[in-house]
Amino acid sequence: MGTGEQVTPGNRMQSYIEIMDCTLRDGEQTSGVSFLPHEKLMIARMLLNEVNVDRIEVASARVSDGEKEAVKMICRYAKQIGKLDRVEVLGFVDGEQSIDWIDDCGCKTINLLAKGSLKHCQHQLKKTPGEHIADILTSIYYAQSKDIAVNIYLEDWSNGMKDSPDYVFQLVDALSDTGIKRFMLPDTLGIMNPLQVLEFFRKMIKRYPQLHFDFHAHNDYDLAVSNSLAAVFSGARGLHVTVNGLGERCGNAPLASVQAILKDHFHANTGICENKLNDISRLVEGYSSIAVAPNQPIVGENVFTQVAGVHADGDNKNNLYCNELVPERFGRKREYALGKTSGKANIARNLQELGLELTPEQTSRVTRRITELGDRKEIVTPEDLPFIVSDVLKHAVPDERVKLVSYMVSLAYGLKPIASVKVEINGNQYETDSTGDGQYDAFVKALRKIYKDELGRSFPVLTNYAVSIPPGGRTDALVQTVITWRNGDKLFKTRGLDADQTEAAIKATFKMLNIIEESINQ
């Protein structure tokens, strides 16, 4: 696609849009988020190797010694795999300081932060436009003397275009022939709407058709994705995103949402491997401790779950309730929730998945029981279904191959919790103890020891742990614990209910172990 050519929803020319992920820099400005150096490296590895973003912005210069160590680790790794040119660091117009910091880290690209509005230039820097331009040029030429490539942010560009466009043009006029690779245009305060993005971007493209422009959106009005797409529509050649939409205040444009809309609505090319978007979302969710909303597009837990029975019925009849966002595309699968609105179609889908065959009358009785549980706000997982079927049809509950014989957990101030566990597995008893970071952690580590040392088997990985307690403040209220497990390539959930949170988690754990043991012995 030619320089400055616009991408339109009907344009079938396969334009390429660069994706720069800012999770490790802008995303870390989310309140309460601070990645350790090795966590930054793990995220960078997945973004570069598996998700295949074009570039990653990994830090701000001169922040801390820990930040410097993280950048060095990432740059060493990126150099080893031939992708050092994809690693970038935000630097400041501070003479030689930021550039020397970045050079010492082994990074070869600086994203230089200049002022994109007259207000910022005059009131924050206390400088004239000419003085600021002179300072920028000094930094650019010094970076180039160090063989460091330069991209430039025009901070507060959106307000600059609203209030002082002549200043913006003066700045870009002075910098357009200096060898800057990319001019990065941020909506720093998240104030723009798509119509303004269209207007301002087209002015930039018309005046500077030879330049490469990126757009950097913030989500204060919940318009980050819309504004990003308006920028592409107007000729932007790169977009900045973060995993799960992390970022200062309301966050940035989420990687998964931007990718899906670029592909489906704009027919634009990116290098993104869509089937890794869920994996990177879970990794960042774990390291950041910022939970992904269940209804977050693409990566939310519920977005590929049909709840209403009529939808499951429609899926049985030529996929009437499916769109281009098929879960398999993103490394996931469609699920059919069990609850009071499930209906027979949802339950039939789950029974089919489990290999259970019931008569229509039996299915109706199971449906009524699940509806009753839903009315009481109890969560029903697909793994609960065999037990519900057994109960409703008055069969014996499936034999437990794994039984908890006895256990003790102790908690003392200043000491790690200890768990002693005795279990029976397929008729044989095993006993051990372990310490952990919490009572349940100690209990699970003891179980892992039994499975590894006595049975020579791996223990499933806990991928999510959710606790719900009814409101009202009662200390004896029942705690519902829903744990998500990964066993090989299979994900599933089990539920435990008890007045004690640890006991509820233990019940969910033994339900999981029996499900696995049953599948092994079939």
Side-chain angles (χ1 to χ4, degrees):
M1 174 164 272
T3 301
E5 187 172 345
Q6 295 172 7
V7 180
T8 69
N11 190 339
R12 289 299 190 261
M13 294 181 68
Q14 295 296 300
S15 57
Y16 189 87
I17 305 299
E18 277 189 358
I19 301 296
M20 182 172 86
D21 185 274
C22 307
T23 304
L24 298 177
R25 199 276 298 173
D26 220 1
E28 199 177 28
Q29 292 178 196
T30 307
S31 179
V33 173
S34 179
F35 298 119
L36 297 172
H38 80 273
E39 293 173 340
K40 280 200 163 192
L41 178 62
M42 292 300 103
I43 294 170
R45 284 170 61 105
M46 183 174 282
L47 286 169
L48 289 173
N49 273 344
E50 298 182 44
V51 183
N52 198 37
V53 297
D54 296 280
R55 299 143 54 202
I56 55 173
E57 190 176 51
V58 299
S60 297
R62 301 170 49 209
V63 166
S64 67
D65 290 339
E67 194 82 333
K68 192 169 190 177
E69 180 58 32
V71 177
K72 285 183 175 181
M73 290 167 62
I74 292 169
C75 289
R76 282 196 299 267
Y77 170 74
K79 187 175 182 179
Q80 289 171 2
I81 63 172
K83 295 182 179 180
L84 183 57
D85 61 332
R86 298 191 183 196
V87 179
E88 303 173 7
V89 172
L90 178 76
F92 307 98
V93 181
D94 54 11
E96 300 177 356
Q97 294 181 72
S98 287
I99 296 161
D100 285 343
W101 192 95
I102 291 168
D103 186 51
D104 191 46
C105 291
C107 184
K108 304 306 292 182
T109 304
I110 182 173
N111 292 339
L112 193 62
L113 188 68
K115 299 302 180 183
S117 69
L118 184 60
K119 184 188 299 182
H120 271 226
C121 180
Q122 291 180 333
H123 296 288
Q124 190 171 39
L125 298 183
K126 309 291 187 185
K127 293 193 175 185
T128 66
E131 289 172 332
H132 186 38
I133 289 169
D135 290 342
I136 295 169
L137 290 172
T138 298
S139 292
I140 291 171
Y141 296 141
Y142 182 66
Q144 291 171 343
S145 75
K146 292 277 197 175
D147 196 28
I148 292 175
V150 180
N151 302 318
I152 192 162
Y153 274 113
L154 304 185
E155 185 183 18
D156 201 37
W157 168 80
S158 47
N159 271 319
M161 290 300 288
K162 284 178 66 178
D163 304 330
S164 52
D166 289 342
Y167 166 81
V168 176
F169 298 144
Q170 179 185 358
L171 197 65
V172 181
D173 285 346
L175 302 175
S176 59
D177 294 324
T178 58
I180 292 172
K181 293 182 68 174
R182 301 173 183 89
F183 285 78
M184 306 192 294
L185 310 180
D187 181 16
T188 304
L189 300 179
I191 60 169
M192 300 177 81
N193 63 53
L195 293 178
Q196 291 170 317
V197 175
L198 287 168
E199 177 190 352
F200 297 157
F201 243 93
R202 285 176 173 172
K203 286 180 179 179
M204 299 294 290
I205 298 288
K206 183 178 181 180
R207 187 176 178 106
Y208 309 104
Q210 79 282 12
L211 298 183
H212 175 121
F213 290 111
D214 283 3
F215 182 62
H216 181 104
H218 280 265
N219 203 37
D220 296 70
Y221 283 97
D222 204 18
L223 289 171
V225 173
S226 300
N227 287 342
S228 296
L229 299 170
V232 169
F233 190 83
S234 306
R237 294 164 62 185
L239 293 176
H240 298 184
V241 298
T242 60
V243 177
N244 299 337
L246 291 182
E248 199 162 24
R249 304 185 311 276
C250 301
N252 295 27
L255 165 61
S257 299
V258 167
Q259 165 60 25
I261 299 175
L262 278 177
K263 180 174 182 180
D264 294 355
H265 292 270
F266 284 77
H267 311 286
N269 273 336
T270 69
I272 301 299
C273 296
E274 293 186 335
N275 62 354
K276 296 298 181 180
L277 291 173
N278 191 58
D279 291 341
I280 189 65
S281 174
R282 299 283 80 78
L283 182 70
V284 171
E285 181 182 39
Y287 285 158
S288 68
S289 298
I290 302 294
V292 174
N295 61 342
Q296 175 87 8
I298 313 302
V299 295
E301 184 177 359
N302 294 345
V303 296
F304 296 117
T305 301
Q306 301 282 36
V307 176
V310 65
H311 292 169
D313 181 62
D315 287 349
N316 286 332
K317 298 170 180 174
N318 201 31
N319 292 325
L320 297 180
Y321 289 91
C322 293
N323 57 22
E324 287 186 86
L325 299 174
V326 292
E328 290 76 14
R329 173 178 163 187
F330 305 104
R332 303 182 64 183
K333 69 174 187 176
R334 194 169 302 283
E335 297 180 359
Y336 295 87
L338 298 172
K340 63 181 180 180
T341 63
S342 297
K344 295 178 184 177
N346 266 21
I347 292 164
R349 279 272 188 165
N350 280 281
L351 290 169
Q352 181 182 5
E353 184 79 15
L354 293 168
L356 295 172
E357 294 185 11
L358 299 182
T359 66
E361 192 274 333
Q362 291 172 328
T363 302
S364 294
R365 289 164 61 190
V366 171
T367 302
R368 285 195 298 272
R369 175 59 60 85
I370 290 173
T371 301
E372 292 168 4
L373 292 170
D375 279 335
R376 298 206 300 266
K377 289 192 174 184
E378 290 196 32
I379 295 173
V380 182
T381 71
E383 287 71 30
D384 289 323
L385 198 51
F387 297 90
I388 294 172
V389 169
S390 297
D391 181 47
V392 169
L393 303 184
K394 305 304 180 186
H395 295 162
V397 174
D399 289 337
E400 289 187 335
R401 294 180 178 272
V402 185
K403 299 176 183 178
L404 179 60
V405 179
S406 61
Y407 80 94
M408 180 190 73
V409 290
S410 63
L411 180 65
Y413 181 74
L415 298 174
K416 277 197 167 188
I418 300 174
S420 297
V421 179
K422 181 187 286 188
V423 296
E424 181 179 305
I425 304 173
N426 294 320
N428 298 311
Q429 290 195 359
Y430 307 95
E431 184 176 353
T432 192
D433 53 52
S434 184
T435 61
D437 292 327
Q439 294 179 80
Y440 178 64
D441 183 52
F443 184 90
V444 169
K445 284 180 176 175
L447 284 177
R448 287 183 186 279
K449 190 185 294 187
I450 289 172
Y451 271 73
K452 179 181 177 181
D453 297 344
E454 303 292 342
L455 303 178
R457 285 162 50 183
S458 61
F459 195 87
V461 177
L462 187 154
T463 64
N464 195 35
Y465 181 104
V467 176
S468 59
I469 302 173
R474 285 175 46 210
T475 57
D476 62 345
L478 288 177
V479 176
Q480 182 165 252
T481 303
V482 179
I483 304 178
T484 305
W485 307 93
R486 182 185 295 276
N487 188 40
D489 59 356
K490 183 182 178 184
L491 278 176
F492 63 98
K493 298 177 184 178
T494 54
R495 176 179 64 97
L497 194 67
D498 197 87
D500 180 82
Q501 182 175 326
T502 301
E503 184 70 23
I506 289 171
K507 287 180 178 178
T509 303
F510 272 80
K511 189 176 290 187
M512 172 273 294
L513 292 173
N514 274 289
I515 289 168
I516 290 175
E517 208 64 38
E518 189 67 30
S519 67
I520 291 173
N521 287 275
Q522 280 180 348

